[in-house]
Structures are given as C-alpha cells and as structure tokens.
C-alpha cells in the first residue's frame, strides 16, 4: 500500500476583482492530479514555474484546503480533516522549503527552531529536548555549538541543513521538499543532496521532491512526474523517463537541459513561448496549444487522461503531444 | 602591446571594498582576455568575485566603498580604470553593455518598456519620436518579442521573466556594443526559457560580431555557449582554458571537484555525488597562499598556505594557479 495517495486533486483559487471583490475567475493551479508515494520512495515532481508544483506540495501537507479530490495518508482520508485532527499527522508529513533564509525565523536561535516541533507536539522534558537538538545537529552534519547561534550566522548550505534538521525532528514518514537545493551553490548543492539520500536510507523516509531542474530530480528520484499547467502529463521510473520520454513536453524539458560536456553541443528544438496562465487555460491539450500543433484542435473536447503505456509508465494521451 | 585579437585585457585586477570591519579584497589579482567575437565564460560560486570583476570592468562598483586598487583593464588599448565619469558615460552602452540576473529589478517598474527603450536610444543618438518608435519596434523584433507595438505600451510587471530578459537584451544592444557582459542572465529563468535566451544571445552575437563575457555558476551553460572558460575561487582565477579542455582535462582540484559535483542526467539515480566538503571561506579570513587548501582534502604545508602560487601556462592556452598540492 502506498504511504501517500492523491486522487484527482484540484486546487482552485478565486481571482477577485471589481468594487465588491467578487470572484470573477478561477485560477486552476492544480487541476486533477493523481499520484502516490510509497514508503522509502522518492517521487520527483518537475515542471516550469507556474505549473502548480508548489501548490500541489502545499495542498499535500494541507497548508491549503483542496478544492476537490482525495488525499490519503496511510489509508486515512485527510482531505477535509480539521487542523486539530491534522496535528498528529503533521508529525508524519513535513516540508523543506526552497529558501532557508526565509523559512527560518531570524529571531530564534537554532535551538529554539529545532525545539519548536517537540514543543508543538508536547514531547520530552527540557533535558530530553536539549539532547535531541544535539542529535539532530549531529545528524545533519552541524557542530553542536551551532545550537546557540542565529540563522544569519550560517551560510546557505548550513541553513538548509537546519531546515532539514527541523523537518526530520519528529521522525516523519514523508517529507515534501520544495526546490530544496535551487538556492544553493553547486558544490554545496551536492552536499545537501547526499545528506538527503543518507537520511532517506537511514530513516526510511519518503520524499516528494519538487524542482524545476530535471537533472537534479532525476538524480534523486525513483519515479518522476512531469507537470504542465496543473496537470501531470507523464509519470515514469526515472531511467525510463530519461531514455524513453513519450510526451512532447517531457522531450522539450529534457532537450532544454544544458549538458556539461562541450563535445555534446547540439542544435536543439527550442520551445517557444511561456507557460500559459492557469486562469482561463487553453481548451484541449495545453501544451499542444503552446506549440501551435496542427493536430491540437483534435484534442479540444477530448477528455485527456493518463494512460499506462507500459508497466509504470503513464502518459497523458492526446493527438498532438504523444505519437 | 595588446594583441589585436583581444578586445578586453584584464591584468592583475585588484578590487577592494572599505567596510566597517576594514578593507576587504574581493578580487585579488585576476587576469584574463576576451577575444574579439568570442565568448568567455566566468564561472565560480557566489562570493568568488565574478560579479565584482564584471562591475569593475564596467566601472559600476558601489561608491564610495568599492574601488579598483590595482591592475589594469584595457579595452581596445584604453585603460578603463582611468576613465573619467564623462568619458565613461560615452563609453557605456556604445562600447560595453551589461545585462543582469534579475530583469525585474534592473528595469524601472513605473515606466513602460517603450519609454525605457527610448531612454537608451536617446543616450547616444538624437532621434525624432518617429525614429525612436521605429527603432524600438525593430529592436524588440530582433530579440524575438511577438507583437512589439503592444509590448512597448506595457510595464515590466506585465511581462514574463523571459520577456523581461529580452527587453533587457534589446536595451543593451541599442548602440551595438562591441562587448556584452552578461551577469547570470538566465539564472532566474526556467530551463526552457534559459535555452531560448542563450540561443538568442548566441545568434545576436554571430550577427553583430560582438564579444561576450558570460558570468554564470552553471557549468552546463558554460559548456554550451563559451569558447574559453575562467574558473574563479575566492577572488582569484584558479584555472583558465579553452572550453573543451576545461571539461576534458581539468587540472586544479577545485575545477575537478566542481565538475564532479554536478548531478548529470545520465548518472545513476540515488547514487551519491562527489561533493566538495565545507563551504567558501569568508572573505576576511583568506590566506595569501592556496585558498582551496581547506576544502581540497589534501594536506597542505604551511608554505603552500602563506605563499601565493604562481599562475602559469601549463600547456598552450591552459593556465592554472600552480599550487603543488591542488595541481597534481
């Protein structure tokens, strides 16, 4: 059984306007996403900015109340659970954010930051918590002296380590990682990725790894889901997705990655335009519309669904993007 | 004197900042050349001094704290470090232009694209409003912005990130500069848009015969666009070579570490990456000798830490900071 099960999840936001601030339009940030994450697995989620990947992550940790669909964690339906009912579940689902500088309270010491999860969950005595903080710092590769310092005294990579320590404090089962290394330098990025891999092995963690860089996502994930304009267009095991991409958007994303090897310079097919707005999205296949594909009109009015074309490899079949 | 093939020669550049805690040296004796019509990549992590180097060349250092304390920057034989403010004004935009990482902060949010382009045009060229309009449309077309007439009336916030960067490029190219300094031009953009922008810079370069100094931390971008690469670490150049050579036979331990630490698309999922331990040392604690010593994982003798390693050409066109431990 999968740890997390997301079924046809929708996250719509009203776009208000006019003098009365009435909802005039709807922004369909996440529009019918179904994914699952098993224990110990990393599911990668990749897409351009504005595709809804962060919104999906936040809806999964229930920072948002989903508009429609179903969220199941360990078989328990948490789609509509109250904040109170969610409290014990929050122990098991944690989040790591992109910018550690902005997600750590600058007025708290590292000790305060790391003790807070225990206080919220009413765990341990003062002495115990003190000891746990020491253990956490050790686990993420920081010196125990770090506990009495403030976030600004650390470099970006160290701050992200603090963010990770906070996320693993309550021994969660699932961590939603939203662009955890995008703000970091290359040499530090690899340290943090290694740390995340080690912790996963050690603690049996599952990750939902959200990022826009396909090479990082592929490196970290067992399976990868490609998201475009609020929908998953392709989902497959990492290697399979890389060697045998089927959707035109996945191919375009793969093609756009700069390859760190000058002998492999190539002429690439450039994607034109930007991700369209999720307010009034184009009808039919959104990507076919962007590509002005001749067969796009055929997709209008069709119900585009993910289909399993080979074991574990799912593709949103449409006449314009999949051969 | 300067070889005619080089448009820009930076020699032993030293840039310092006066801070409350005293003087810090952000760029410590950097030297490189940009060849005419070619692209030189300047790569390094944040804080290594690559942006400060670019700002020194264009004389955009924050005043009064930042100043060029030594060395020369020779652009077609003229030392930029000695130009007066008046001379600089004539120089910028016509000879050297610059584009920045975040086009949202580099563009004026309360003026239309058209107004900002007009300002750039009028800087060096008297034009009638009709000429300005015509030229603006021509420029936006050149940077592949669809329906330019409409875009001229819009404000930066109405454009996407990629569009904004295109507008920046259009502004930078108004007076057909000989050298374009691009400081992380695609870092804030999506990979797909990044590919579009790099392609655009590339084709404009070929068309106009412009030289480009591309500053980035992304080795993938370097591999795809540059002819030659300069690797900076902690204010110094540690290695410099033609692009193929940097990737095929890096000599300095830092360059090697950097290349090994990037996740490659063909690597095995969930395998451990070779990381460089530690982080860039703070600028106040830098030693005169090899600055990568602490992170290299190789034991250095006190003499390696106290004496600056020579910067030598170890094979044709391939220069390296010859620390005997880091360059084995």
């Amino acid at each position: 059984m999968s740890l997390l099960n997301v079924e046809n999840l929708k996250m719509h936001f009203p776009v208000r306007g006019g003098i009365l601030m009435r909802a005039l339009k709807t922004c369909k940030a996440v529009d019918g996403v179904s994914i699952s994450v098993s224990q110990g697995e990393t599911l990668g989620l990749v897409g351009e900015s504005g595709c809804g990947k962060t919104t999906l992550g936040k809806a999964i940790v229930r920072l948002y109340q989903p508009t429609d669909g179903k969220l199941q964690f360990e078989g328990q339906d948490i789609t509509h659970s109250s904040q109170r009912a969610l409290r014990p579940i929050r122990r098991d689902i944690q989040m790591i954010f992109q910018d550690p500088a902005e997600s750590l309270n600058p007025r708290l010491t590292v000790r305060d930051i790391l003790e807070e999860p225990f206080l919220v969950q009413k765990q341990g005595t003062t002495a115990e918590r003190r000891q746990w903080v020491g253990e956490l710092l050790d686990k993420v590769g920081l010196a125990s002296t770090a506990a009495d310092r403030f976030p600004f005294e650390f470099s970006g990579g160290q701050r992200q380590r603090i963010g990770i320590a906070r996320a693993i404090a309550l021994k969660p089962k699932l961590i939603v990682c939203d662009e955890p290394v995008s703000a970091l330098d290359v040499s530090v990025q690899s340290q943090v990725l290694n740390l995340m891999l080690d912790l996963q092995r050690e603690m049996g963690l599952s990750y939902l790894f959200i990022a826009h860089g396909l090479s990082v996502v592929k490196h970290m994930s067992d399976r990868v889901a490609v998201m475009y304009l609020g929908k998953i267009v392709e989902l497959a095991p990492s290697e399979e997705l890389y060697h045998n991409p089927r959707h035109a958007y996945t191919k375009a994303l793969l093609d756009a990655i700069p390859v760190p090897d000058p002998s492999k310079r190539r002429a690439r097919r450039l994607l034109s335009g930007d991700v369209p707005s999720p307010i009034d999205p184009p009808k039919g296949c959104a990507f076919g519309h962007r590509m002005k594909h001749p067969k796009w009109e055929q997709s209008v009015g069709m119900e585009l669904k993910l289909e399993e074309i080979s074991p574990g490899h799912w593709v949103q079949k449409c006449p314009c993007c999949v051969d | 004197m300067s070889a005619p093939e080089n448009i820009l020669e930076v020699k032993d550049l030293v840039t310092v900042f006066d801070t409350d805690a005293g003087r810090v040296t952000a760029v410590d004796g950097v030297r490189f050349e940009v060849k005419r019509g070619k692209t030189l990549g300047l790569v390094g992590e944040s804080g290594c001094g690559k942006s400060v180097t670019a700002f020194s060349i264009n004389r955009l250092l924050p005043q009064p704290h930042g100043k060029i304390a030594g060395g020369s920057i020779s652009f077609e034989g003229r030392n930029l470090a000695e130009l007066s403010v008046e001379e600089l004004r004539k120089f910028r935009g016509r000879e050297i232009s610059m584009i920045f990482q975040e086009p949202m902060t580099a563009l004026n949010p309360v003026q239309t694209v058209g107004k900002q382009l007009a300002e750039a045009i009028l800087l060096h060229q008297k034009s009638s409003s009709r000429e300005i309009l015509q030229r603006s449309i021509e420029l936006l077309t050149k940077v592949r912005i669809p329906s330019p007439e409409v875009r001229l009336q819009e404000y930066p916030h109405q454009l996407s990130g990629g569009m904004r960067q295109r507008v920046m490029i259009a502004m930078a190219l108004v007076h057909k500069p000989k050298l374009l300094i691009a400081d992380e031009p695609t870092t804030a953009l999506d990979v797909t848009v990044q590919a579009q922008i790099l392609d655009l810079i590339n084709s404009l370069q070929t068309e106009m015969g412009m030289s480009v100094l591309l500053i980035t931390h992304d080795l993938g971008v370097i591999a795809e666009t540059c002819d030659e690469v300069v690797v900076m670490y902690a204010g110094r150049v540690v290695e410099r070579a033609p692009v193929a050579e940097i990737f095929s036979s890096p000599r300095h331990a830092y360059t090697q570490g950097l290349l090994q630490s990037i996740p490659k698309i063909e690597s095995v999922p969930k395998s451990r990456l070779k990381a460089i331990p530690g982080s860039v040392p703070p600028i106040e604690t830098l030693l005169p000798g090899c600055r990568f010593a602490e992170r290299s994982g190789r034991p250095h003798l006190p003499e390696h830490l106290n004496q600056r390693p020579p910067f030598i050409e170890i094979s044709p066109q391939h220069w390296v900071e010859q620390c005997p431990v880091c360059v084995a």
Side-chain angles (χ1 to χ4, degrees):
Chain A
M1 193 191 71
S2 45
L3 185 70
L4 174 79
N5 212 1
V6 178
E7 255 174 65
N8 199 25
L9 193 79
K10 288 184 184 166
M11 191 64 235
H12 295 178
F13 298 96
V15 180
R16 295 180 188 279
I19 300 172
L20 300 172
M21 294 309 277
R22 272 189 294 217
L24 301 176
K25 289 172 179 172
T26 312
C27 170
K28 299 179 176 177
V30 176
D31 199 22
V33 164
S34 302
I35 50 171
S36 66
V37 185
S38 316
Q39 204 247 315
E41 184 193 40
T42 304
L43 177 70
L45 186 61
V46 69
E48 290 169 279
S49 42
C51 74
K53 51 192 196 301
T54 295
T55 307
L56 176 60
K58 286 189 174 170
I60 287 172
V61 296
R62 280 294 316 276
L63 288 175
Y64 292 138
Q65 170 64 51
T67 313
D68 194 18
K70 207 164 146 192
L71 265 180
Q72 269 182 321
F73 186 75
E74 292 191 304
Q76 189 188 346
D77 190 333
I78 58 164
T79 330
H80 302 287
S81 302
S82 64
Q83 291 301 326
R84 182 184 289 267
L86 278 173
R87 186 162 290 182
I89 293 160
R90 296 228 186 272
R91 274 199 295 267
D92 293 333
I93 310 179
Q94 288 288 321
M95 192 157 181
I96 302 172
F97 301 89
Q98 170 168 2
D99 191 341
E102 283 179 20
S103 57
L104 301 175
N105 187 334
R107 288 163 185 262
L108 297 185
T109 61
V110 171
R111 181 186 309 285
D112 296 334
I113 291 170
L114 296 183
E115 266 187 354
E116 198 167 11
F118 300 119
L119 289 170
V120 171
Q121 296 287 346
K122 301 192 175 68
Q123 288 184 4
T125 61
T126 313
E128 276 173 330
R129 286 195 295 266
R130 220 182 158 78
Q131 188 196 337
W132 290 337
V133 168
E135 287 169 8
L136 282 172
L137 287 172
D138 183 53
K139 226 173 194 165
V140 297
L142 289 173
S144 56
T145 50
D148 297 309
R149 288 157 67 191
F150 289 91
F152 75 88
E153 298 178 68
F154 296 89
S155 67
Q158 290 170 325
R159 270 186 230 150
Q160 196 56 295
R161 285 173 194 269
I162 299 169
I164 292 173
R166 178 177 58 184
I168 61 169
L170 297 166
K171 303 196 172 64
K173 292 171 180 155
L174 172 72
I175 302 182
V176 174
C177 322
D178 189 6
E179 304 265 14
V181 296
S182 308
L184 305 179
D185 265 316
V186 198
S187 71
V188 178
Q189 176 179 316
S190 46
Q191 295 171 9
V192 172
L193 292 177
N194 280 344
L195 172 67
M196 291 179 66
L197 287 172
D198 291 345
L199 290 173
Q200 177 165 49
R201 244 164 259 152
E202 223 176 285
M203 306 174 61
L205 292 168
S206 305
Y207 291 134
L208 177 65
F209 192 92
I210 305 172
H212 66 275
L214 198 44
S215 33
V216 172
V217 171
K218 191 215 157 204
H219 187 87
M220 292 298 286
S221 309
D222 298 288
R223 292 184 302 141
V224 177
V226 181
M227 198 164 173
Y228 186 74
L229 206 65
K231 291 191 165 79
I232 304 287
V233 294
E234 189 161 5
L235 195 158
S238 304
E239 288 290 352
E240 166 80 5
L241 189 85
Y242 169 58
H243 289 292
N244 189 19
R246 296 297 299 275
H247 196 280
Y249 183 60
T250 313
K251 290 179 190 171
L253 273 186
L254 279 167
D255 206 42
I257 304 170
V259 181
D261 183 350
S263 64
K264 286 188 186 151
R265 274 189 201 182
R266 67 219 187 273
R268 46 161 75 101
R269 291 154 296 162
L270 286 175
L271 252 187
S272 60
D274 298 292
V275 182
S277 164
I279 307 167
D280 294 328
K283 290 188 174 61
C285 171
F287 189 64
H289 182 263
R290 173 170 171 189
M291 298 304 287
K292 301 191 176 64
H293 197 282
K295 286 187 191 162
W296 165 72
E297 278 184 15
Q298 291 178 25
S299 75
V300 180
M302 275 175 74
E303 201 190 345
L304 300 172
K305 266 189 171 167
L306 279 179
E307 283 179 41
E308 193 167 19
I309 51 163
S310 63
H313 192 157
W314 298 74
V315 159
Q316 179 181 281
K317 277 235 166 157
C318 75
C320 42
C321 296
V322 181
D323 304 327
Chain B
M1 278 304 286
S2 60
E5 57 169 334
N6 295 332
I7 188 154
L8 178 77
E9 293 184 0
V10 176
K11 265 197 200 120
D12 306 321
L13 176 71
V14 179
T15 304
V16 297
F17 286 91
D18 288 318
T19 68
D20 292 342
R23 178 168 279 200
V24 292
T25 308
V27 174
D28 187 15
V30 160
R31 71 187 304 170
F32 59 83
E33 292 98 46
V34 181
K35 295 198 177 71
R36 208 172 282 277
K38 300 281 185 193
T39 302
L40 178 78
L42 201 55
V43 67
E45 297 177 86
S46 37
C48 73
K50 55 190 195 302
S51 288
V52 175
T53 304
F55 280 49
S56 305
I57 295 171
N58 217 356
R59 295 277 305 276
L60 286 172
L61 292 170
Q63 296 302 325
H65 314 292
K67 56 169 165 279
I68 298 172
S72 68
I73 303 163
S74 150
F75 182 83
E76 298 201 302
R78 273 197 288 173
N79 188 356
L80 299 189
E82 288 163 0
L83 288 189
S84 68
V85 176
E86 199 51 42
E87 287 170 306
L88 272 173
R89 195 167 292 151
K90 289 188 189 143
F91 194 83
R92 291 192 191 123
R94 253 205 302 227
E95 308 281 337
I96 300 182
S97 270
M98 187 158 177
I99 53 176
F100 303 88
Q101 173 171 353
E102 222 327 312
M104 192 63 218
T105 49
L107 293 172
N108 187 338
V110 296
Q111 290 199 337
T112 60
V113 169
K115 190 118 194 254
Q116 297 186 55
L117 266 173
E119 189 186 340
I121 294 169
L122 286 170
L123 206 57
H124 294 302
Q125 202 176 347
K126 275 197 178 148
S127 321
S128 66
S129 46
R130 161 176 275 182
E131 283 167 344
I132 291 175
L133 182 67
Q134 203 182 355
R135 182 96 178 93
S136 303
I137 291 175
E138 193 186 307
L139 281 162
L140 291 189
T141 316
K142 202 171 199 166
V143 295
R144 301 176 198 159
I145 291 184
S147 42
E149 298 85 352
V150 183
R151 295 299 181 193
L152 283 176
Q153 310 299 322
E154 294 188 343
Y155 291 88
H157 73 90
Q158 293 172 285
L159 309 176
S160 68
M163 282 295 170
R164 288 200 280 263
Q165 196 57 281
R166 284 166 202 270
V167 171
M168 283 266 294
I169 295 174
M171 286 171 68
L173 299 184
V174 170
H175 299 288
K176 302 197 170 71
K178 294 173 185 154
L179 175 68
L180 177 72
I181 301 176
D183 188 4
E184 304 263 12
T186 58
T187 307
L189 306 175
D190 271 314
V191 269
T192 50
V193 182
Q194 165 171 291
Q196 296 167 12
I197 296 290
L198 292 176
D199 180 71
L200 174 70
I201 294 177
N202 210 349
S203 57
L204 289 172
Q205 177 180 20
T206 322
E207 193 186 315
M208 302 169 54
M210 187 171 61
S211 312
V212 176
L213 176 60
L214 179 78
I215 298 166
T216 178
H217 66 273
D218 188 332
L219 288 158
V221 170
I222 290 277
E224 298 223 334
T225 53
C226 297
D227 299 295
E228 213 185 341
V229 188
V230 168
V231 183
M232 280 185 76
Y233 186 75
R236 290 183 185 162
V237 175
V238 291
E239 190 159 6
R240 180 185 133 194
V243 68
E245 189 144 334
I246 276 280
F247 284 88
S248 66
S249 43
R251 297 294 304 273
H252 197 280
Y254 178 63
T255 317
Q256 291 167 352
L258 214 52
L259 284 168
Q260 283 167 353
S261 68
I262 33 177
K264 294 175 192 70
I265 191 78
E266 61 286 343
S267 64
V268 180
K270 299 180 109 168
S271 56
R272 276 184 72 88
L273 292 159
K274 279 202 176 153
I276 303 176
S279 53
V280 182
I283 194 164
E284 312 85 44
T285 64
L286 293 175
L287 298 166
C290 176
R291 290 174 171 181
F292 189 60
E294 198 192 321
R295 301 179 71 192
S296 66
R298 305 175 187 185
H300 281 62
L301 297 172
E303 69 215 54
H304 300 137
L305 301 177
N306 296 324
Q307 212 170 46
R308 182 165 185 168
F311 192 61
I312 58 160
E313 192 169 15
I314 46 165
S315 63
Q317 306 274 321
H318 193 154
W319 294 70
V320 71
E321 191 182 68
Q322 180 84 336
C323 164
V325 186
C326 286
V327 182

